[in-house]
Amino acid sequence: LNTGILNANKSYYLTIEHKSGIGCGISNRTEVKVEVINPAAPTLIDNTVNLCYGETTNLNSLISSGTSNLKWYNATTNAEITGTAITQAGEGKYYAKDFSTGCDSPATATITVNVAAYVTVPTASAQSFCGSTTVASLVATGTNIKWYATATGGTPLASTTAITSSGTYYASQISAAGCESTRRAVAVTINPLPTLSSPKKISRCNDSWDGFTVTSSANCDFSWSREALPANVLNLDSPN
């Protein structure tokens, strides 16, 4: 047997003959059993990966069948790649082969890695309110704005979340691809409502007018009206 294709599960026999021609005969035959290994291609979980800008995926996590020696290749150049962590710089197409049996398996189907565009931070400026408010009152310019109480981590605040004191809140926006931007810090000031202390009832004798004292919180102006809501402001110099 000189050349040819070896068949699986078949025995072949090896003999040795001295080349000097001294007539020492031929050795006994040694049986050689042939095992042909046909490894299967690795099984893919998914053949498409969509990444947000800045995210990382591990190509090995896309293989469902266990293997100890996967090799990955660039599907455009067929060159083996080093490392399996793919970031935005690795957008493209890939395939894998399994070498755990000592033989290279057929290639997987091509995996496509898509990377969404970078999402810019929304715009917003410092905001002030009179008295407590809610997250729904906060304003930022962007798409699908989310508000947070922290610069990173945490969960978005519900629109009904009360804001009762001054502090910093953080706005992000979500792109059409479902990717979230980093957060913009927004200073929120809650100005207290003015308070008033005055007599509930004022008595006067005939036409005399001795005045009385009204106190309030600082930096306030006074106005008088005959209605509970100040529709008609009265002249402060006259009690009429």
Side-chain angles (χ1 to χ4, degrees):
L1 179 65
N2 294 319
T3 60
I5 298 175
L6 300 179
N7 296 313
N9 303 318
K10 184 175 182 179
S11 293
Y12 295 84
Y13 297 89
L14 174 66
T15 60
I16 299 177
E17 182 179 2
H18 205 291
K19 295 182 65 175
S20 66
I22 59 176
C24 292
I26 299 174
S27 69
N28 295 330
R29 293 184 177 185
T30 301
E31 182 181 15
V32 178
K33 292 184 177 181
V34 175
E35 178 187 5
V36 177
I37 300 173
N38 292 306
T43 303
L44 293 179
I45 297 174
D46 199 347
N47 60 3
T48 302
V49 179
N50 296 312
L51 294 179
C52 294
Y53 193 93
E55 288 184 337
T56 300
T57 190
N58 192 307
L59 292 177
N60 285 344
S61 66
L62 303 175
I63 302 296
S64 63
S65 57
T67 178
S68 59
N69 192 7
L70 276 176
K71 292 185 180 180
W72 287 90
Y73 300 84
N74 184 305
T76 302
T77 63
N78 293 317
E80 183 180 354
I81 65 172
T82 57
T84 58
I86 302 298
T87 64
Q88 64 266 11
E91 184 174 30
K93 298 180 182 295
Y94 302 89
Y95 64 85
K97 291 183 178 182
D98 181 5
F99 285 81
S100 58
T101 64
C103 301
D104 60 316
S105 72
T108 63
T110 299
I111 293 174
T112 301
V113 177
N114 302 312
V115 180
Y118 174 76
V119 184
T120 58
V121 181
T123 57
S125 57
Q127 298 166 46
S128 297
F129 301 91
C130 293
S132 62
T133 186
T134 64
V135 167
S137 300
L138 301 178
V139 177
T141 302
T143 303
N144 193 10
I145 299 295
K146 302 293 183 184
W147 288 96
Y148 296 84
T150 56
T152 59
T155 57
L157 299 172
S159 61
T160 55
T161 301
I163 302 175
T164 59
S165 60
S166 300
T168 302
Y169 290 81
Y170 302 85
S172 69
Q173 66 173 328
I174 310 294
S175 71
C179 297
E180 188 170 9
S181 71
T182 55
R183 302 172 190 176
R184 181 176 297 280
V186 179
V188 176
T189 300
I190 300 297
N191 295 306
L193 294 174
T195 59
L196 178 65
S197 175
S198 68
K200 297 295 184 181
K201 182 178 181 180
I202 302 172
S203 299
R204 63 175 181 166
C205 297
N206 298 322
D207 293 329
S208 64
W209 181 252
D210 296 327
F212 60 92
T213 301
V214 175
T215 60
S216 75
S217 49
N219 301 317
C220 291
D221 293 326
F222 295 100
S223 62
W224 288 87
S225 69
R226 288 192 175 91
E227 295 83 13
L229 296 178
N232 299 306
V233 178
L234 301 177
N235 184 344
L236 295 180
D237 294 331
S238 171
N240 296 318

